């Protein structure tokens, strides 16, 4: 029996009632590709910050900084999860990642006021802080890029 109702596939899609919505959804997914990398890196930076007192072995020599890194690390983990699960809400607050990065850089001197921080402890926090600052700035840049309207020219 002959196929009497054969129509080309593109003709079926062109008349689809949800075509505009599907294109919009695809554009949102496509724009989200680079964002998911930032989410994961923030989460990993937070995990490392939380466990760094035991990795760098300053958990017993500097209990104040151990508590600081644990709390800040868990906060970064929560922010990373929030960015992954609710990006529309959380990316407006992504500047806080840079603020946390600045705190991580200065915390060895602020938190350990009574005694001197060791070189490994300082380098650990400075590197974590620098990574967080870069991730926060990248996230802010993505927010600015996504909120620009095409008609304004910049």
């Amino acid at each position: 029996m002959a196929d009497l109702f054969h129509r080309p596939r593109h003709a079926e899609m062109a008349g689809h009632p949800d075509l505009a919505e599907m294109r919009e959804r695809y554009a949102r997914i496509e724009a989200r590709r680079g964002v998911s990398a930032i989410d994961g890196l923030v989460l990993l930076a937070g995990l490392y910050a939380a466990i760094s007192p035991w990795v760098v072995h300053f958990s017993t020599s500097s209990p104040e900084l151990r508590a600081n890194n644990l709390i800040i690390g868990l906060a970064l983990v929560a922010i990373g999860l929030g960015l992954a699960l609710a990006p529309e809400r959380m990316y407006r607050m992504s500047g806080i990642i840079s603020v946390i990065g600045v705190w991580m850089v200065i915390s060895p001197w602020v938190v350990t006021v009574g005694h001197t921080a060791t070189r490994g402890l300082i380098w650990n926090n400075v590197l974590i802080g620098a990574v967080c600052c870069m991730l926060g700035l990248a996230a802010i840049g993505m927010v600015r890029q996504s909120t620009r309207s095409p008609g304004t020219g910049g």
Side-chain angles (χ1 to χ4, degrees):
M1 184 124 175
D3 187 12
L4 299 174
F5 300 104
H6 178 70
R7 286 183 279 166
R9 282 267 187 221
H10 64 359
E12 289 177 11
M13 275 308 288
H16 197 280
D18 296 330
L19 185 62
E21 181 184 343
M22 288 188 301
R23 284 185 179 158
E24 182 182 322
R25 186 179 312 148
Y26 181 74
R28 279 195 319 257
I29 290 170
E30 191 66 28
R32 177 99 173 97
R33 286 170 110 180
V35 174
S36 62
I38 292 175
D39 303 346
L41 291 174
V42 169
L43 185 74
L44 288 175
L47 284 174
Y48 178 74
I51 66 167
S52 67
W54 294 275
V55 173
V56 183
H57 303 293
F58 65 86
S59 64
T60 56
S61 65
S62 183
E64 312 89 11
L65 203 58
R66 176 187 62 206
N68 175 69
N69 282 20
L70 183 62
I71 292 167
I72 294 297
L74 293 176
L76 281 171
V77 167
I79 291 169
L81 284 173
L83 289 172
L85 298 175
E88 297 83 19
R89 295 180 185 151
M90 290 294 291
Y91 263 96
R92 300 252 182 226
M93 293 178 34
S94 57
I96 194 76
I97 300 167
S98 293
V99 173
I100 289 174
V102 170
W103 172 252
M104 286 298 289
V105 169
I106 65 171
S107 67
W109 294 280
V110 175
V111 175
T112 60
V113 172
H115 59 279
T116 312
T118 63
R119 192 173 12 172
L121 191 145
I122 292 170
W123 275 109
N124 178 63
N125 278 25
V126 167
L127 289 174
I128 294 171
V131 167
C132 289
C133 283
M134 288 188 295
L135 289 172
L137 292 175
I140 290 170
M142 294 187 112
V143 168
R144 287 184 176 225
Q145 184 180 18
S146 68
T147 57
R148 271 191 208 145
S149 61
T152 60

